[in-house]
Amino acid sequence: MKAELRPGGLALRSRLFAVMLGPLLGVAVLLGVVGATLIGDAVRNAGDRVLGGALGAIAETVQVERGEVTLDLPAAAFGMLETTARDSIYYRIAVGDRVLTGYPDLPPPDIDALTLDTPSFRFARYRGQDIRIAEMRRDLPRIGQPVVVQIAETLDNRHATWWRLMTALMVGELLLIAVAMIVLRPALGWSLRPLDRLRGAVTARDTRAAPDLSPLETGPLPIELKPLAAAFDSLLGRLDVATAGVRRFTADASHQMRTPLSVLKVQVALARRGSPDALDEIAEAANRLEHLVTQLLALARADEAGASPELEQVSLREVASAVINRRIGQAIDAGVEITLDAPDQEITVFAHRTLLFEIVSNLLDNAIRYNRRGGLVVISIQHTAEATLIAVSDDGPGIPEADLSRLGGRFVRLESSRGREGSGLGFAIVQSASQRIGAGVTVENTSPGLRVTVRFPGTRP
């Protein structure tokens, strides 16, 4: 079943393009703001140097002759201020409040704030226009009041220069962004080509009849994609192991179920012919088939994939009593006695109730099934400072030491169990379920008999 693509999601190429272009636009805006500030300062400083030069040239001509202030306005001073923008030039020379020459209504300065023989600059509004004024204070000998020299110009040329520089800056930024947009698309396509190879390697598996779970062949990959490819190969490896286990389990289960089904078919045929023992054989085969299916379901539940089961405090005495009630009929038929050896105090473990029931139930089933007639099975519960234990012991023939390593294999029948009915799944269920609830399982021969112990570490009564 193919996964459906959800509409509305942005392609990775578009995401990367937006992520890379967004900061570039932000930097362009920041450069524009900073550039506008720097250009304004540069234009103002350049204009002020020229305006200050003209002010100095005029101020040098101010002299004192016969007790009077005289001056000779140099034409070069005003020539310095000539621009293509045809800015208007204004000047004013005054002794104290008395204007010697120039524009009397030019905004006067605060004389006390002026520094002696040092130009000062300020913006002002004059005759409906913004102007820049350069002004200087001079103290002449035998003149009681300070002499103030002012020269001003309108700002058309400064504005025009600022706009030319800003236009050049904006055009440069726009060209940079345009080139980046043109270059980023193919660059992103080239950078994402390994992803296309990875996608192609995965897609190619869909065209094959048998599922191919071998590692992907993608060629050289960037460092950033190697962990993804390694994780995907690891997933394929686990899937290969899982599917192989499922195939093996299915084959073994079908083989195990074939025998009781064949017996049922034969006995049904005999029953139709009037055989008196056929019904008993049919009932026995049905019981064997029921037992096998029950254990297969229990094993599937114990092996259930996905999230870990929710654990809770479970009473071991309660579970052991429930298992004994379930298996008491089997024990009576086998001629086996069951004893529960547990302290009076309640002992609980942190486990999953159903899985713990399956563990004890299968251990008791094996102890009854492979015990001798007249034998004894003991379910014992113990609690120590290190762990809590529940053990199932019998006094049957036990298991040869050489066969202990094979114990737990699915559908594995040991030599000691030959001639006894069973599916070879009981201990496999115990091991799988114990692993899921975090318990450990140990098996030991007790001469006579066998003892299987399930250990829950770190639990308390």
Side-chain angles (χ1 to χ4, degrees):
M1 180 177 179
K2 296 184 177 179
E4 297 181 358
L5 296 177
R6 296 183 178 180
L10 288 177
L12 180 59
R13 191 192 308 269
S14 300
R15 289 175 181 268
L16 291 175
F17 185 76
V19 167
M20 298 176 69
L21 189 61
L24 183 61
L25 292 175
V27 171
V29 172
L30 180 62
L31 286 178
V33 174
V34 174
T37 303
L38 295 177
I39 289 173
D41 291 341
V43 171
R44 184 177 65 253
N45 292 335
D48 287 350
R49 282 196 296 271
V50 176
L51 194 61
L55 176 66
I58 294 175
E60 288 179 357
T61 65
V62 178
Q63 303 292 332
V64 177
E65 294 183 2
R66 299 176 184 178
E68 294 291 336
V69 177
T70 63
L71 71 153
D72 182 13
L73 295 176
F78 294 97
M80 295 170 60
L81 301 175
E82 289 184 359
T83 61
T84 56
R86 302 291 181 180
D87 281 318
S88 300
I89 309 298
Y90 308 99
Y91 68 95
R92 177 177 178 271
I93 302 172
V95 179
D97 294 333
R98 180 170 61 89
V99 178
L100 296 181
T101 184
Y103 294 83
D105 55 346
L106 193 65
D110 181 2
I111 297 177
D112 295 333
L114 294 178
T115 304
L116 184 64
D117 294 331
T118 302
S120 297
F121 302 90
R122 61 188 173 96
F123 290 103
R125 188 78 178 170
Y126 181 62
R127 295 186 178 183
Q129 291 180 302
D130 292 325
I131 61 173
R132 182 71 165 170
I133 301 176
E135 47 201 11
M136 180 189 296
R137 169 186 169 182
R138 296 195 64 189
D139 290 341
L140 299 178
R142 299 185 301 277
I143 302 296
Q145 293 179 311
V147 177
V148 177
V149 181
Q150 294 178 283
I151 187 169
E153 65 176 352
T154 54
L155 305 179
D156 293 343
N157 183 64
R158 298 189 183 211
H159 290 163
T161 303
W162 186 86
W163 274 112
R164 285 198 301 271
L165 295 177
M166 280 300 300
T167 300
L169 176 63
M170 297 303 295
V171 169
E173 289 188 352
L174 291 176
L175 286 176
L176 178 62
I177 293 173
V179 171
M181 293 177 66
I182 294 173
V183 172
L184 277 179
R185 280 288 181 179
L188 288 175
W190 177 80
S191 300
L192 296 176
R193 195 172 300 166
L195 276 179
D196 291 335
R197 291 204 307 269
L198 189 60
R199 177 187 57 80
V202 176
T203 305
R205 302 294 174 92
D206 293 341
T207 61
R208 302 173 184 175
D212 184 3
L213 300 177
S214 61
L216 297 175
E217 297 178 1
T218 58
L221 291 175
I223 296 177
E224 294 80 6
L225 288 182
K226 286 182 179 179
L228 175 61
F232 196 81
D233 286 341
S234 176
L235 175 62
L236 290 179
R238 293 196 299 270
L239 285 175
D240 192 17
V241 172
T243 53
V246 169
R247 289 193 297 269
R248 184 173 60 253
F249 178 80
T250 303
D252 292 342
S254 62
H255 174 74
Q256 292 291 328
M257 294 180 70
R258 187 179 300 118
T259 299
L261 288 176
S262 300
V263 172
L264 278 176
K265 291 175 63 177
V266 171
Q267 297 302 324
V268 167
L270 293 176
R272 287 175 176 173
R273 297 177 183 178
S275 174
D277 298 329
L279 293 179
D280 294 336
E281 295 293 336
I282 290 174
E284 184 179 351
N287 290 333
R288 290 178 58 191
L289 184 60
E290 179 187 14
H291 177 70
L292 176 62
V293 172
T294 301
Q295 287 206 308
L296 286 174
L297 292 175
L299 183 60
R301 183 163 53 246
D303 286 345
E304 187 178 38
S308 299
E310 294 185 4
L311 305 184
E312 58 181 338
Q313 291 292 336
V314 181
S315 170
L316 290 180
R317 177 186 285 274
E318 177 186 340
V319 171
S321 299
V323 171
I324 292 174
N325 290 333
R326 176 177 175 178
R327 296 291 180 182
I328 191 65
Q330 178 186 359
I332 293 173
D333 293 339
V336 174
E337 182 182 351
I338 303 175
T339 300
L340 176 61
D341 180 12
D344 294 333
Q345 67 184 82
E346 187 73 17
I347 295 179
T348 62
V349 293
F350 204 55
H352 187 274
R353 186 179 300 274
T354 301
L355 292 180
L356 182 57
F357 183 89
E358 292 293 343
I359 292 172
V360 180
S361 178
N362 279 276
L363 289 178
L364 184 57
D365 175 63
N366 285 346
I368 296 172
R369 188 179 299 274
Y370 301 110
N371 205 339
R372 59 183 176 82
R373 179 165 289 275
L376 175 66
V377 176
V378 179
I379 301 178
S380 59
I381 299 173
Q382 293 179 323
H383 172 72
T384 66
E386 294 78 19
T388 299
L389 312 174
I390 181 168
V392 178
S393 306
D394 63 67
D395 54 1
I399 298 176
E401 295 294 332
D403 287 343
L404 286 179
S405 60
R406 299 176 56 207
L407 191 63
R410 300 183 180 188
F411 301 107
V412 173
R413 302 298 307 280
L414 305 179
E415 291 297 330
S416 58
S417 63
R418 296 298 181 187
R420 300 174 185 264
E421 293 184 1
S423 61
L425 290 176
F427 200 75
I429 296 172
V430 171
Q431 284 189 321
S432 181
S434 298
Q435 184 178 8
R436 291 203 70 203
I437 62 176
V441 182
T442 57
V443 183
E444 57 184 337
N445 282 302
T446 55
S447 299
L450 190 74
R451 178 184 177 90
V452 182
T453 304
V454 182
R455 178 188 183 93
F456 298 87
T459 55
R460 292 292 181 268

